[in-house]
Amino acid sequence: MRKQASLLLLMLAVLLPACGGGGTHRTETRPWGPGPMDDLSDPEREWRNALVVLPLRGSAGSMITVNDGGLAFGALTGASHATRWPVIVLIAGCERPVSPRLMRALAEQGYVTFAPDSRARLRQPLHCEGEVLSDLDRATRNLAPRQATINYTFQKLQAQDWVDTDRMFLIGERDGAAAVATLSGAGIAGRVLAEWDCLPTDAGHGADRVATSAASGIRNAAVAPVFAVTSAVVPTHAGDCSPFLGDSPHSAVLALHAKHSPDVLTEPVVFTELLKFLDRRIFR
């Protein structure tokens, strides 16, 4: 009996503060701490949040997904373990994200397409102030972080056993194309520049044009050939990328005089020429 009375008093001691007028019921929670990705570098965050579109072996379709960090989705393509896929990495400009329509179209031609997500950056967001900065300003300020992302992405992809490391391509759009154009070119089978004329300034004309910014011009076109396309959407500045191609016989320039949609690479005439360029690099 004494033991039961003691137990009853202990229960009352616990319950009464919660029932009294001055007491509140509290649930202890862990304080907010760093999330699982907060300690990652910006290039790794872009990698882990990347959009991926896969070709599906035996069909004309494609599958769109997001990166799982380790790209452990090779079996989803329906291909054998020994299959090696050509890969296209897409770098968007500030104006708009990479087009899933373009990515699907390329995947349906047999390319794994991979688009790092710049919106995932935490430490150093890109400079994309459209009303304040020109395309050249944005390209120059974002050059180093974008190239760090490209280098990190290529390093990760080259470690995957399903990637054909001899057939890895880059596509850059608008000011994002500057990061693609000014890479060293090592390890890149070919580069595509969309709506970027390589030197958006009025410095020089024709063969006398000179690069006036770190984001201007093309580096090593002989090492990593270039397919460049511009339309009337982009203000022209004394021409196009041709003067920077030098003696690169495998590079090409397509200048459209009319205005086209922002997704210029999906225009039939452009997409046809794009595939020709890629095929020439695939079967070289």
Side-chain angles (χ1 to χ4, degrees):
M1 179 67 70
R2 182 176 299 173
K3 183 182 291 186
Q4 292 176 345
S6 299
L7 181 59
L8 179 61
L9 289 174
L10 179 61
M11 294 175 63
L12 288 172
V14 173
L15 294 174
L16 282 175
C19 298
T24 57
H25 179 71
R26 299 180 59 190
T27 301
E28 293 296 329
T29 59
R30 295 177 60 187
W32 286 105
M37 293 182 64
D38 287 355
D39 293 332
L40 304 181
S41 67
D42 281 340
E44 186 168 358
R45 289 175 61 86
E46 290 191 63
W47 158 263
R48 293 199 179 200
N49 285 275
L51 187 68
V52 186
V53 182
L54 306 169
L56 296 180
R57 183 59 60 93
S59 77
S62 59
M63 182 180 69
I64 190 165
T65 183
V66 292
N67 188 14
D68 62 1
L71 287 179
F73 45 61
L76 297 178
T77 65
S80 68
H81 179 71
T83 301
R84 299 293 180 266
W85 296 94
V87 176
I88 298 176
V89 176
L90 299 97
I91 304 299
C94 281
E95 290 82 3
R96 57 195 297 272
V98 169
S99 164
R101 179 186 174 198
L102 172 63
M103 296 181 71
R104 285 188 180 277
L106 291 168
E108 289 164 7
Q109 297 296 321
Y111 297 91
V112 173
T113 58
F114 194 94
D117 185 3
S118 63
R119 296 169 299 179
R121 301 182 66 86
L122 181 66
R123 304 179 188 278
Q124 186 182 4
L126 296 182
H127 295 278
C128 287
E129 298 86 349
E131 297 181 357
V132 179
L133 301 176
S134 68
D135 276 0
L136 181 60
D137 289 335
R138 285 182 292 183
T140 303
R141 294 190 183 196
N142 295 328
L143 190 66
R146 277 184 168 139
Q147 290 187 343
T149 294
I150 292 171
N151 292 331
Y152 185 90
T153 300
F154 265 58
Q155 177 185 1
K156 285 291 189 178
L157 287 170
Q158 287 168 339
Q160 308 303 317
D161 59 7
W162 51 267
V163 173
D164 186 340
T165 54
D166 291 328
R167 293 171 173 83
M168 299 177 67
F169 298 88
L170 269 171
I171 292 178
E173 297 181 335
R174 291 296 290 261
D175 52 288
V180 174
T182 55
L183 282 170
S184 66
I188 304 171
R191 294 173 285 177
V192 178
L193 314 179
E195 302 289 32
W196 179 256
D197 75 347
C198 297
L199 186 64
T201 69
D202 294 322
H205 299 276
D208 295 327
R209 294 173 69 196
V210 294
T212 59
S213 161
S216 300
I218 294 176
R219 309 289 186 272
N220 299 329
V223 176
V226 169
F227 172 67
V229 56
T230 57
S231 76
V233 170
V234 177
T236 57
H237 301 265
D240 55 36
C241 293
S242 300
F244 296 101
L245 296 179
D247 297 326
S248 175
H250 304 294
S251 296
V253 171
L254 178 61
L256 306 175
H257 300 293
K259 288 188 176 182
H260 290 266
S261 70
D263 200 5
V264 68
L265 291 177
T266 61
E267 294 289 337
V269 63
V270 179
F271 192 69
T272 298
E273 294 302 316
L274 169 60
L275 292 182
K276 289 180 181 178
F277 171 77
L278 297 175
D279 285 349
R280 286 194 296 268
R281 304 307 301 152
I282 286 284
F283 300 109
R284 64 186 187 277

